[in-house]
Every structure is written in C-alpha cells, then in structure tokens.
Amino acid sequence: MTEPQTRTATSDDLDTVLAFWKTAAEGTSISDDREGVERLVGRDPEALILAEQDGELVGTVIAGFDGWRCHLYRLAVHPGRRRQGIGSALLAAAEERFVRLGGRRGDAMVLVRNETAHHAWRAAGYEPQEQWRRWVKPFTD
C-alpha cells in the first residue's frame, strides 16, 4: 500500500465525496448535498482537500479560510483506513494552505459525542475551548 497523496478536489469529485461522507463522516450537515459542495468549491477552489491511496478516496478535509480565521470541517477517513496517517496527511495539507494564506490559528468543528475524533484532534495538537459554544440558525427548512 502506498502513502496517501493529497490534492484539491475538482467538480468531477463531488459525487464521490458526498457518497464517501455517508460512510466515513460523523454526522450530517445541511450543506451535505451537491449544491452545497459545488458552492464551496466554486467560492474557494482549494478548500476541499482529498486523500487518495492506490487510486481510492480514503479521506477528506475542508480547510476554509475567510481571510481572518482558519476553519476545519469534514475531516473524515475511511473506517477501514484509520490510524494509518491519512488524517495527519490531510491536516498537514490544510495547515500548509492556511500558513500560505497568512492564517494564524486553525479551529475545528468536532461533535461532542465523537470521542474517537477527540483523540485524533488532540494527537494533532488541537485542544477544545470549553468557554465557546457554537450558535446556529438555519436559513432554509
């Protein structure tokens, strides 16, 4: 098995990514549809980073930068490929992107109940900030 290779997603990858998230991602998002991901890639073509191994999609991360903050979403690794350095490769690619763009600190959206992810994020050097809460308001039904 070869080392995972990271690259930026293209519009041709989006259906594969959406199917992958149904298997590998924890939870769902209101934006987990073709239109939502097309909008992401259209606005920020380098934000969706993929990891491939032997020609197969094995991981994703969204590395969004709004000019002020660096946000990480959808770090997902295929369940059968976890603990093989794929998540680390994705985070390294995301962090390199952030530094190149002038980012100073990354934050990640991690579900409270996802203990497996908590261990992975801690191992990557991230820490929870208990004093903050995420506040949301859907704009569509």
Side-chain angles (χ1 to χ4, degrees):
M1 194 172 297
T2 61
E3 292 292 314
Q5 300 297 310
T6 60
R7 68 173 178 86
T8 302
T10 68
S11 60
D12 292 340
D13 297 311
L14 302 188
D15 291 329
T16 302
V17 168
L18 288 164
F20 177 79
W21 285 344
K22 290 179 181 176
T23 301
E26 181 73 20
T28 58
S29 168
I30 195 169
S31 301
D32 285 356
D33 57 24
R34 177 83 188 197
E35 183 181 341
V37 182
E38 281 178 341
R39 192 170 31 259
L40 167 70
V41 173
R43 183 182 178 285
D44 188 351
E46 296 182 353
L48 179 54
I49 301 170
L50 309 181
E52 295 175 323
Q53 202 167 30
D54 301 320
E56 178 186 353
L57 178 61
V58 294
T60 67
V61 69
I62 296 173
F65 182 61
D66 60 14
W68 185 42
R69 296 239 170 108
C70 306
H71 304 286
L72 294 158
Y73 308 92
R74 281 291 181 227
L75 177 62
V77 174
H78 187 281
R81 303 282 184 99
R82 292 182 179 154
R83 303 195 56 78
Q84 297 178 16
I86 296 165
S88 296
L90 285 162
L91 286 177
E95 292 169 0
E96 288 169 14
R97 175 176 195 255
F98 291 150
V99 169
R100 186 177 75 247
L101 294 172
R104 298 180 184 175
R105 177 184 69 191
D107 64 58
M109 297 298 297
V110 184
L111 291 172
V112 172
R113 70 175 187 265
N114 192 346
E115 289 294 326
T116 301
H118 297 184
H119 296 293
W121 284 104
R122 277 194 178 89
Y126 291 78
E127 299 177 6
Q129 288 188 315
E130 298 300 331
Q131 70 272 28
W132 295 97
R133 291 289 178 259
R134 181 179 181 207
W135 294 45
V136 299
K137 176 183 176 182
F139 299 131
T140 62
D141 292 333

